[in-house]
Amino acid sequence: MFKELTDKINYSEVEEEILKFWEENKIFEESVSSRNGKPLYTFYEGPPTANGRPGIHHVMARTLKDAFCRYKTMSGFQVHRKAGWDTHGLPVEIEVEKQIGIKHKDEIIEYGVEKFNKACRESVWKYKVDWETMTREMGYWVDLNDPYVTFHNNYIESIWWALKKYYSKDMIYRGYKIQPYCPRCETPLSSHEVALGYKDVKDPSVYIKMKLKDEVNTHFLVWTTTPWTLISNVALAVHPTIDYVKVELLTSEGEETKPTGEFLILAKARLEILKEKYSIVSEFKGKDLLGKEYERLFNYHEVKEKGWYVVEADFVTTDDGSGIVHMAPAYGEDDYQICRKFNLPTIHPVNKSGEFEDAVTDFKGKFVKDADADIIQNLKARNILYRKEAYLHSYPHCWRCSSPLLYYARDSWYIRTTAYSQRMIELNKQINWIPKEVGEGRFGNWLEENKDWALSRDRYWGTPLPIWVSDDMKEMKCVGSFEELIGAEWLDENGIPTGKFFGKEDLKTLDPHKPTVDKLAFKTVNGKYLKRTPELIDVWFDSGAMPFAQWHYPFENKEIFDSAYPADFISEGIDQTRGWFYTLHSIGTFLFDKPAYKNVLVNELILDKTGQKMSKTKGNTVDPFTLISKYGADATRWYLVSQSPVWRTTLFDEDGIGEVQRKFFSTLVNTYSFFALYANIDAFDFSEPVIPIAERSEIDRWIISSLNTLVKEYKQYMNEYDLTKASRAITDFTLDNLSNWYVRRNRRRFWKSEKGKDKTAAYQTLYECLDAIVKMAAPIAPFLADEMFRNLNTATKKEKFSSVHLAMLPEVNESAIDPSLETRMDRAIRIVGLVRAMRMKSNLKVRQPLKKILIPVKDQTEYLLLKSIEGIILDEVNVKEVDAKIDQDIIKYKIKANFRVLGQKYGKFTAKVAEGIKQFTPIQITKINTEGRIEIVVEEKPVIIVLEDVEIIAEEIKGWMVESDGKITVALDTEITPELRIEGFAREFVSRIQNLRKDSGLEVTDRISIAYSCGDQLAEALYKSTEYIKNETLSVELTRKNLNGNAVKEDINGEQCEISITKVLN
RNA sequence: GGGCCUAUAGCUCAGUUGGUUAGAGCGCACGCCUGAUAAGCGUGAGGUCAGUAGUUCAACUCUACUUAGGCCCA
């Protein structure tokens, strides 16, 4: 027996049952183990961080991951799915700081780094339960029992191994990094934190004159909004191709202007900033200025390198300022990069509280921002201040304490990624990006502009940088495994060697985090101690190392790693382009000289339904748990992937999930229920031999052909990682082809016909369709698909698999695809539509039989085509005859140009020829139609038009009602003869009886007896159709008698009638 | 400032190598159908295919620019 489902199905309950079934029977585990020995399809899970609650975008990302892993499993691959957790980094620290009430980084030391990190280690799992619940409820199959965790010792040891690889090839170096820094909290901020605190503020905007060394009385005009950085000025930058001018300032006395002998250099496009009159002395490009030296403004510091000359930089613009940019490498990223390029000195006279050091004698001890006014005063006194005003702009502030942030050069460790960026670009070409423009554009450009990776972080909770250095930084040692720590000497709290050494037994209890590793030192041959550099590494290195670190490679699992690198598939949000996608690629390229992944599916943001970004402050976030319990995971998943291509932004509208459920899911369930209802009545269990497709009826062959076409398309889309097209194709087939055409057209075969070959064929055909749909839907809607698969399979035992997720996808049966049959059916569907439209317009309901329709056809081929679908059309539109007319005496044709053909032949002449064709007389149309060619004259030139140059469509048929869709024209005979009227009564009457049966709650197999009372005309019609009526309504008796107004009153095509039905007990 | 993406009906989206009636769903109005139907089907209203210029016999489609929005980077 097939389990009967109703459309009142509670999807969440079904899903919970399926979850239990999966868990009790270890279906996920089996879906992996049952593919032992099969080719691997490698998937890498990008580790989420579990100290934030999961949101709807996580459901999206995980649906994609899950769908393709299931798809590949059902295609015969073995797909291991190891979960992972990203557990280090600033977000965790901030969470813990809040928890224990710390505001300042230094307080962590007071609190105790050990205690602090212990708290971090626990805080990491704050929302683990939520993540696990979400993962389970949404049906994301991933092995949560054996995840990789970035703070685990094995994971960290693998990272150390990788870092030593870098180190030993001289790929790690110390440098400066310009970081946003809060002078009050004394901590650098991440870009994420910076974004939180932009405020509009007024800063001084000053133009300064910088005196050229070798031109008399000539100054560069330089603009800055941070006067305090002028102390550290080391160069000026110009754009090489921008026009610059040298001007002489003029004084005016009355009408007269006099030269002052004072010259300024600035960008030509910025002349407007000059407040007095001037005359242009000369004009030149920026590159002509390169190398020109000028006098230092402030001489507090001695430097070795050459500075104070003009360099080129392409970020210089003429949007504001003077087109000449002051360079202070310690305080700006652009400045720093340029100064590295030209080997300029770096002057950093500011302490960690943001105050000038003593060396800056005039301003020492002042907070730099507060020193601005004094510096301006100083410049003014020296007559090198040209102009000063206020400047309103958006400037970042600390999100915790509101102090203006400073951009600071800080000591930092770098990975020299620029050394192999060309190789990254080459290897990127091997990666299949979906969509490809992310790979070529966003990611490609990022690689083109690659900068060295700032690896270190001055924080506490993270993977320690395994480098030990001497106090003078001259000696270094990089540790690439925990064993290499053996022999290191323990230090006490004050950093004094204790004489105790790290031994083999210490390996067992080692916590490779701070502060433990900081207590170890290596003694060098000349007696110096190497101590660990205090920094951690960027958490992005953690996640980028997961291909090998998840396996503790190379210390263990060499074979596993070798067979599982690179990944076949990864999928994350577009925000990972410069995050995980990059770090995987960068580390992979360097260590293994291979891309880390072959296919990467990028998904875009999910916005709310008005296109606004979802955020907690706006309150427009969507809670995945609520959705899943309300609609079920299947509908949510299906909605997310089918709504819009996943690599475009999705506007999330909850109503859409309801629609998916109502339309697709309930139609599918209804179709299944219909099947189950009659299959149970007829005890169909697919035990009969499969009827060859060739021996089935045409409509069976049609749906099987369409189904195979669908399977083919589906696999193509899935192999292109296009879930949107795949899901839409399934939906369209299920709704249009299967439910609204095949099942509707074939209902009678299930409930009427005797058992036999045709009925069996119908059951087998519908079963095969359902079976295939369920399998194709399984990757996206894993619950309902499994429920239906199991229901189908329990009854038929067609497959040995206990779950659809263990089964194989249907194969495409090419020989079952019959394109001409599909075209024919498409034609029939369109004709039926046209006839329905005409019935509509003349108010003739489909139950009223009509005499005939007439369809003009061009030739014998079309005639035969039409005849082959005649039966379907007649039955569907309730008409007695299809007349396929070839003769044209009563049909008026319209002719129009076939531009596609004509355009190639005539080029510029096309429009004129087309106009000529439009003017054809009916005789000319007939001539070209019968003779295949005709000569016309266009602009006095003879032109031969052949049949392929034109399209001829019937437009009107004399005396008939006509409807056309531009290709096919159908005429309908609307006359209702007495015989047709009688038949119409009978059809209408049957319909009423069926409704009554249904309303009375009768089973479809119950027998009834009917009594009715009505006028003579209707009674006569019913009498004549007695057999038909009894047969259709399963009634044993049909009698006319006086019901005295006590029964149901009906209007049968204008005739009043009373009807009563009674169930007959057998 | 740079890179990438997007712009088609009130809303969400299709639209093939350029070819002459630009489609679907939702919503709205009206009607029909129904022993699988809380469903479905049909009809109707609703489009300067963001704008401008260009290429072409022909542009929603190709090119350039502009405008608006989004994401990323500076």
Side-chain angles (χ1 to χ4, degrees), chain A residues 2 675 684-686 767 791-799:
Chain A
F2 292 94
F675 170 83
F684 171 79
D685 62 1
F686 221 133
Y767 182 96
N791 289 346
L792 290 170
N793 211 33
T794 306
T796 62
K797 312 250 181 322
K798 290 283 282 180
E799 310 229 21

Side-chain angles (χ1 to χ4, degrees), chain A residues 504-704:
Chain A
K504 228 175 175 171
E505 68 288 349
D506 287 321
L507 282 174
K508 286 178 205 147
T509 54
L510 173 71
D511 172 10
H513 286 92
K514 273 171 166 293
T516 312
V517 283
D518 294 334
K519 292 185 193 154
L520 287 166
F522 293 94
K523 197 170 183 179
T524 66
V525 279
N526 39 30
K528 281 198 255 177
Y529 277 95
L530 303 183
K531 294 180 182 168
R532 203 188 69 83
T533 188
E535 295 92 345
L536 308 178
I537 63 163
D538 183 5
V539 285
W540 286 111
F541 197 98
D542 285 3
S543 53
M546 65 70 67
F548 55 92
Q550 67 174 334
W551 299 116
H552 194 210
Y553 176 92
F555 306 98
E556 287 180 77
N557 300 319
K558 258 182 123 92
E559 323 70 44
I560 294 181
F561 171 74
D562 288 343
S563 65
Y565 189 90
D568 289 296
F569 173 61
I570 61 172
S571 175
E572 304 290 336
I574 185 137
D575 52 324
Q576 295 299 324
T577 310
R578 280 134 158 101
W580 197 51
F581 295 154
Y582 172 67
T583 59
L584 277 178
H585 188 61
S586 185
I587 296 172
T589 300
F590 176 73
L591 289 179
F592 309 110
D593 196 34
K594 268 196 258 179
Y597 41 92
K598 294 180 188 164
N599 300 287
V600 49
L601 173 58
V602 183
N603 63 282
E604 253 286 359
L605 281 174
I606 299 180
L607 307 174
D608 75 5
K609 68 174 174 179
T610 60
Q612 299 283 305
K613 207 171 172 175
M614 288 187 182
S615 71
K616 277 177 197 157
T617 47
K618 278 185 203 150
N620 59 350
T621 50
V622 179
D623 177 31
F625 298 97
T626 314
L627 290 178
I628 289 174
S629 61
K630 191 165 169 190
Y631 301 97
D634 282 339
T636 307
R637 291 167 60 127
W638 198 278
Y639 168 77
L640 286 173
V641 303
S642 62
Q643 157 72 1
S644 67
V646 298
W647 50 82
R648 301 263 180 266
T649 48
T650 298
L651 304 190
F652 183 87
D653 186 0
E654 195 182 313
D655 294 342
I657 305 180
E659 192 184 322
V660 162
Q661 199 178 67
R662 277 199 318 279
K663 291 187 88 80
F664 175 59
F665 285 65
S666 73
T667 302
L668 183 59
V669 168
N670 266 327
T671 306
Y672 166 82
S673 311
F674 170 84
F675 170 83
L677 178 66
Y678 290 102
N680 286 341
I681 290 171
D682 286 325
F684 171 79
D685 62 1
F686 221 133
S687 52
E688 304 84 354
V690 178
I691 297 174
I693 289 166
E695 291 171 27
R696 301 193 197 178
S697 70
E698 186 168 57
I699 195 158
D700 290 347
R701 281 185 281 124
W702 168 75
I703 194 74
I704 293 288

Side-chain angles (χ1 to χ4, degrees), chain A residues 171-189:
Chain A
M171 296 293 277
I172 293 183
Y173 68 91
R174 277 172 69 80
Y176 289 110
K177 179 177 162 58
I178 308 300
Q179 285 182 319
Y181 179 84
C182 175
R184 205 204 67 80
C185 303
E186 292 179 16
T187 183
L189 275 73

Side-chain angles (χ1 to χ4, degrees), chain A residues 66 115 159 179 184-185 194 279 288 308 395 675 815 882 912 943 1001 1062:
Chain A
D66 191 52
K115 254 167 82 187
I159 291 176
Q179 285 182 319
R184 205 204 67 80
C185 303
V194 172
S279 66
D288 299 322
W308 300 280
Y395 193 84
F675 170 83
S815 68
V882 174
K912 302 220 163 79
V943 174
T1062 344

Side-chain angles (χ1 to χ4, degrees), chain A residues 220 235-238 286 289-294 308-312 324 342:
Chain A
F220 289 116
L236 297 176
V238 297
L289 292 170
L290 300 181
K292 285 195 184 288
E293 296 184 37
Y294 63 96
W308 300 280
Y309 61 93
V310 177
V311 298
E312 63 175 307
I324 302 175
F342 292 98

Side-chain angles (χ1 to χ4, degrees), chain A residues 49 51 88-97 123 190 192 461 539:
Chain A
T49 156
N51 77 332
H88 282 143
L90 197 58
V92 186
E93 292 194 28
I94 289 174
E95 188 70 33
V96 171
E97 284 180 16
S123 166
S190 71
H192 165 72
W461 174 240
V539 285

Side-chain angles (χ1 to χ4, degrees), chain A residues 934-947:
Chain A
I934 191 168
E935 193 178 312
I936 60 167
V937 176
V938 179
E939 293 204 324
E940 296 166 6
K941 271 176 260 174
V943 174
I944 293 170
I945 306 292
V946 297
L947 208 49

Side-chain angles (χ1 to χ4, degrees), chain A residues 135-154:
Chain A
T135 302
R136 175 178 184 270
E137 288 183 358
M138 70 165 285
Y140 177 41
W141 273 0
V142 67
D143 185 2
L144 286 167
N145 297 322
D146 181 28
Y148 66 91
V149 177
T150 58
F151 74 61
H152 281 175
N153 284 18
N154 284 349

